[in-house]
Amino acid sequence: MDFAFTAEEEAFRADLRAFLDAEVPDWWRGMFVDDERTMPFTRELCRMLAGRGWLTMAWPPEHGGAGASVWMQAIVREEMWAREEPRGPQYMNLNYIGPLVMRFGTPEQQARFLPPMAQGEVIWTQGFSEPDAGSDLASLITRAEDRGDHFIVNGQKIWTSYADAPADWCLLLTRTNRDAPKHHGISVLLVDMTTPGITVRPIDTMAGPHEFNEVFLDDVRVPRECLLGEQDHGWDVIVAGLTFERVGIARYARAGRVIEVLVEYANATGRGDDPAVRDRLADMRARYEAARLLNYRAVSMQAAGVVPTIEASVARMHNTQLEQQVGHVGLELLGPLGRLRSKDPLAPLEGEIHRYWTRNIPTTVAAGTLEIQKNIVAQRGLGLPRAP
Amino acid sequence: MNLELSAEQRLLAETARAFVDRHGTDASAVDPWPTMVGAGWSGLLIPEDQGGAGGGMVDVALVCEALGRGPVSSPLIASGVLAALPVLWLGSAEQRERWLPGLAAGATVGTLALLEPGMRDEWDAPRIAGAASLSGKKVLVPWAVGADVMVVVTADGLRLLEVADETVRVDAHDTLDGEPTGLVMFDGATAEPLGGTADAKDVLDRVLDHAAIAELAFAVGAAERALDLSVQHAKDRTQFGRPIGSFQAVAHRCADMRADVDACRYLAYQAAWALDRDPATAVLAVTAAKSYANDAIRRVFLNAHQVHGAIGFSTEHDLHTFTRRAKAFELTHGSTARHRDRLATAMGLGTRR
């Protein structure tokens, strides 16, 4: 056991921090704010990262990466997430859409789709949830009809982040076989978002106008060469993708940064000696340590060549609940002024804590609800029987 | 960064686990201490040139975690941590020479007498005056019953005394966990100084940090057993025609227990590692671990009892032995509030130092 990063890793973190200090502008507040500068900035930053070899450094060399260790990846995730992910939507390319193309894609698909990701030139979105398929994702009904050299897709996706970025491509879950058991008739299509028949409608949320979208698919023609993995076996692709995703986001790092901001705020406002404030913030720090270590456990397993499954779910249980708690405790510390949003000149900390709390209301719902994570732990980890 | 056990650490953990599985939970079985001493566990923190095994807190944590699964009752922490470390860190060459080899070999059992009535927890200042002839009362002294040597914390620093005559009287407490914890009354007992007054508080804090993490590791083992028992019960117990573990209300309690136990385990490992590296900078890791675990271990046992239903309250079932130890852990070696306050300072909160 060793709970320290190596000198080489620390040096890399310092370089990355210096780069981000220089390149991330003061106005950056993450993706989901009503500011037209966000998308051009994330595209430019990704190009710069690509130029330094940092964008896909974790990918194998044959796909344009440097084969960096999983710990280097963890450092990138921490530094990015602590700054509200300045890579924008492209973190998904690096974390799991690219790796899925490497694992399930044909050589032609790899040659076509991976280089634009490695160069930071393409925005992907994921079409998973449907109005009637949320936690029960496999009950999705968006239909892809096999027409030989192409598929015709009809249906609707919802809660689709970044679709109005606008996204260039979509990793789309479709049903290709309605007669098979529900997990066995699903196929993954790689869909050009400029294809006729695709309509994107933003959904206004508590966090702002650009968090989620509905995507309507009306007789959308998708060439067969855009089928990822085997037809009707898309569920295997998704299970692999969700596992990547659960350890792909260093949510604890953002929580850790917010805790630091709250410590500075408490000290600056003369409340650093208030026993109640000390107790609450120390509690958050301890929870942060727990979440961080459980993420590190999953990464350690990856470093040892083992794919974490329930460990990823345990880490996610901690991560998501930590983020929500830190938001609540932060607003509690601000008191009545915590109601003020970022556009109000009196908003403490420029509304950062308010925004953080709001952003994390759906954190325990997205990418597999907290209850679904607990089901995974109970059934796959502890061997408890499924509900009938 | 690497949270996997090394080959040596895995071997130690497996050896300890196998010992606990053999020893079982039968308190009337043979005394486990000689076997533990034979394995070198009594002297894990004592250097090899003083007769010990020259190990570290990570080793102690791995052994204690296994012991918690019994739970196996032994003077390992009282003697090998609470008594050995002050002697090692503050003792004169003569004091170390006299006591450490015996503590390492298990021939001598030591303990630390700290708490007095009225102290909120171990971090409060004791009142007993430090004199060559000690008088006064210490409570909840671990393994006081049968201890050969005591490190006594006084208002003026630490003192070392040999339990030799009627000037030291030990009465066993009636505790929830049944450990041989004692009320110790000194009546003019001869006690020699152990180190000076100036550094006593810092050294004591470090000793307590080590003991807290050893106890935490033990509690992790106990909590893991409580989880195992709960999962087994949830699979075996049928109600409404189904194993109760198929109900999400029960299954999710078990998943929460898994998440809590895992968190406590890695917090304990991190703190143990930090103590081995540099005790002076380990405060953040130690206080985060202990304050988190006080709440989390309590949650684990609330969930375990709820999953077990009435049988968990019965002493015919094993669960209660773990529950008792876990509650003792929560109440010992610093309150949640105390550790959070120390953590707040380590995080940079406030103007106090």
Side-chain angles (χ1 to χ4, degrees):
Chain A
M1 274 190 287
D2 185 351
F3 288 84
F5 285 101
T6 64
E8 186 200 359
E9 288 160 350
E10 292 290 10
F12 169 67
R13 188 193 290 275
D15 286 349
L16 184 58
R17 276 190 184 173
F19 168 80
L20 293 170
D21 284 344
E23 303 299 341
V24 177
D26 287 342
W27 56 262
W28 171 252
R29 298 284 181 272
M31 278 298 294
F32 305 114
V33 294
D34 207 2
D35 188 330
E36 62 200 11
R37 294 173 293 183
T38 55
M39 274 309 292
F41 161 68
T42 69
R43 285 180 182 274
E44 180 55 28
L45 190 88
C46 286
R47 278 187 213 109
M48 292 170 74
L49 287 167
R52 290 172 173 248
W54 287 350
L55 189 63
T56 51
M57 56 186 283
W59 286 11
E62 63 266 33
H63 295 303
S69 74
V70 292
W71 290 112
M72 289 290 203
Q73 295 177 58
I75 288 170
V76 173
R77 286 199 295 265
E78 289 181 350
E79 295 303 319
M80 294 296 176
W81 200 257
R83 292 169 196 258
E84 310 204 44
E85 191 49 273
R87 294 173 301 183
Q90 293 192 54
Y91 81 90
M92 297 198 300
N93 301 0
L94 319 171
N95 283 358
Y96 75 99
I97 297 178
L100 286 180
V101 172
M102 291 174 212
R103 182 154 157 198
F104 295 96
T106 63
E108 292 74 24
Q109 287 172 335
Q110 292 176 358
R112 179 179 180 187
F113 294 114
L114 294 176
M117 292 188 208
Q119 287 147 22
E121 301 287 357
V122 63
I123 306 299
W124 280 78
T125 181
Q126 58 169 42
F128 284 14
S129 294
E130 298 181 5
D132 292 320
S135 288
D136 184 11
L137 184 60
S139 67
L140 61 94
I141 56 173
T142 290
R143 194 171 79 244
E145 206 177 313
D146 186 346
R147 296 277 182 90
D149 68 342
H150 67 277
F151 296 90
I152 295 294
V153 182
N154 280 284
Q156 183 192 346
K157 295 291 172 178
I158 196 168
W159 315 126
T160 314
S161 299
Y162 314 113
D164 70 332
D168 305 304
W169 286 85
C170 179
L171 184 83
L172 187 73
L173 284 195
T174 63
R175 180 159 305 283
T176 38
N177 186 344
R178 277 183 286 177
D179 300 323
K182 69 179 182 180
H183 288 84
H184 298 291
I186 292 170
S187 300
V188 177
L189 298 179
L190 307 176
V191 179
D192 182 342
M193 289 292 283
T194 62
T195 314
I198 298 178
T199 311
V200 173
R201 188 186 77 84
I203 301 170
D204 199 9
T205 69
M206 289 182 74
H210 297 292
E211 167 101 45
F212 294 126
N213 301 274
E214 283 180 291
V215 177
F216 301 91
L217 301 124
D218 184 15
D219 284 337
V220 177
R221 189 179 195 280
V222 180
R224 173 165 291 277
E225 63 259 28
C226 289
L227 170 68
L228 181 67
E230 273 185 74
Q231 188 165 334
D232 292 351
H233 289 84
W235 192 252
D236 299 342
V237 180
I238 291 326
V239 168
L242 289 176
T243 304
F244 294 147
E245 194 188 26
R246 277 179 205 126
V247 283
I249 301 179
R251 293 186 174 278
Y252 59 92
R254 180 84 187 108
R257 176 64 198 137
V258 171
I259 292 167
E260 283 176 9
V261 167
L262 294 171
V263 168
E264 289 162 19
Y265 179 81
N267 284 342
T269 52
R271 298 174 65 195
D273 294 325
D274 179 337
V277 169
R278 294 168 66 81
D279 192 84
R280 291 289 254 174
L281 290 180
D283 181 21
M284 292 303 108
R285 176 60 195 247
R287 292 183 200 217
Y288 158 78
E289 288 293 323
R292 189 174 65 94
L293 290 174
L294 291 171
N295 277 263
Y296 286 177
R297 172 176 66 163
V299 178
S300 283
M301 292 173 69
Q302 291 176 323
V306 181
V307 177
T309 54
I310 69 142
E311 293 81 6
S313 288
V314 168
R316 189 171 173 85
M317 286 170 66
H318 280 271
N319 265 324
T320 55
Q321 294 180 94
L322 169 72
E323 285 219 297
Q324 287 185 342
Q325 280 299 319
V326 170
H328 286 299
V329 167
L331 286 186
E332 182 183 84
L333 180 65
L334 303 188
L337 293 181
R339 293 168 65 193
L340 300 178
R341 300 202 295 186
S342 46
K343 282 178 185 152
D344 193 295
L346 291 181
L349 300 168
E350 298 177 350
E352 179 176 359
I353 307 304
H354 187 99
R355 202 169 48 250
Y356 182 72
W357 166 78
T358 313
R359 282 282 298 120
N360 286 302
I361 289 173
T363 293
T364 46
V365 172
T369 63
L370 181 58
E371 288 71 23
I372 292 291
Q373 308 300 339
K374 290 183 184 181
N375 285 350
I376 292 170
V377 172
Q379 289 160 13
R380 279 198 252 160
L382 301 174
L384 289 173
R386 285 174 175 278
Chain B
M1 193 70 64
N2 175 14
L3 275 56
E4 306 277 316
L5 300 185
S6 70
E8 291 88 0
Q9 288 164 343
R10 191 168 301 116
L11 180 64
L12 176 63
E14 283 167 5
T15 305
R17 176 79 179 263
F19 160 75
V20 172
D21 288 347
R22 270 200 315 278
H23 182 76
T25 58
D26 183 1
S28 67
V30 288
D31 181 7
W33 186 234
T35 313
M36 296 169 64
V37 168
W41 300 342
S42 46
L44 273 174
L45 296 182
I46 297 171
E48 290 180 51
D49 61 8
Q50 309 272 2
M57 268 305 289
V58 171
D59 304 313
V60 171
L62 293 171
V63 170
C64 286
E65 183 182 340
L67 297 176
R69 290 184 58 87
V72 172
S73 197
S74 81
L76 184 74
I77 296 173
S79 195
V81 179
L82 284 169
L85 289 182
V87 176
L88 179 64
W89 289 338
L90 289 176
S92 64
E94 192 191 331
Q95 285 170 322
R96 291 204 301 267
E97 196 62 38
R98 178 159 178 223
W99 293 109
L100 291 178
L103 290 170
T108 304
V109 168
T111 187
L112 181 85
L114 168 57
L115 287 170
E116 296 170 19
M119 285 169 67
R120 284 172 306 172
D121 72 0
E122 290 85 341
W123 267 261
D124 271 356
R127 295 199 195 91
I128 282 190
S133 168
L134 280 185
S135 288
K137 192 189 286 182
K138 291 284 187 184
V139 297
L140 287 160
V141 178
W143 287 80
V145 182
D148 306 298
V149 59
M150 291 184 185
V151 175
V152 184
V153 186
T154 74
D156 316 291
L158 305 187
R159 297 221 159 223
L160 194 58
L161 75 77
E162 193 173 357
V163 184
D165 54 40
E166 66 281 0
T167 60
V168 180
R169 188 177 136 197
V170 178
D171 287 352
H173 282 300
D174 175 24
T175 60
L176 87 153
D177 46 284
E179 291 288 281
T181 304
L183 163 67
V184 181
M185 284 156 290
F186 305 109
D187 182 14
T190 305
E192 60 192 58
L194 183 63
T197 306
D199 50 355
K201 178 59 181 159
D202 281 349
V203 169
L204 180 64
D205 283 358
R206 276 199 238 167
V207 171
L208 293 174
D209 283 346
H210 281 74
I213 297 307
E215 294 283 3
L216 167 54
F218 191 99
V220 166
E224 177 88 33
R225 264 307 292 285
L227 170 59
D228 292 351
L229 292 169
S230 301
V231 167
Q232 197 58 52
H233 185 74
K235 289 176 182 172
D236 294 344
R237 172 74 169 165
T238 297
Q239 290 287 273
F240 306 101
R242 296 157 52 183
I244 60 170
S246 70
F247 294 105
Q248 285 195 337
V250 174
H252 286 186
R253 283 185 185 271
C254 294
D256 284 337
M257 292 167 77
R258 171 86 277 156
D260 276 333
V261 174
D262 286 0
C264 291
R265 170 178 296 118
Y266 286 96
L267 286 166
Y269 289 167
Q270 174 177 256
W273 175 88
L275 286 167
D276 282 341
R277 198 174 60 155
D278 178 10
T281 60
V283 173
L284 196 145
V286 169
T287 54
K290 172 65 173 163
S291 63
Y292 186 96
N294 275 358
D295 284 350
I297 297 285
R298 183 198 304 187
R299 278 195 298 270
V300 168
F301 280 89
L302 281 170
N303 283 328
H305 276 272
Q306 196 63 22
V307 169
H308 274 83
I311 191 67
F313 188 55
S314 158
T315 54
E316 291 171 14
H317 192 285
D318 285 340
L319 181 62
H320 75 102
T321 58
F322 300 99
T323 309
R324 293 163 188 274
R325 291 301 299 255
K327 183 53 75 177
F329 157 76
E330 187 191 325
L331 300 176
T332 308
H333 293 131
S335 66
T336 311
R338 174 78 69 179
H339 283 286
R340 287 209 190 125
D341 186 58
R342 296 178 73 209
L343 174 53
T345 301
M347 291 162 67
L349 262 171
T351 51
R352 301 188 277 170
R353 275 290 153 206

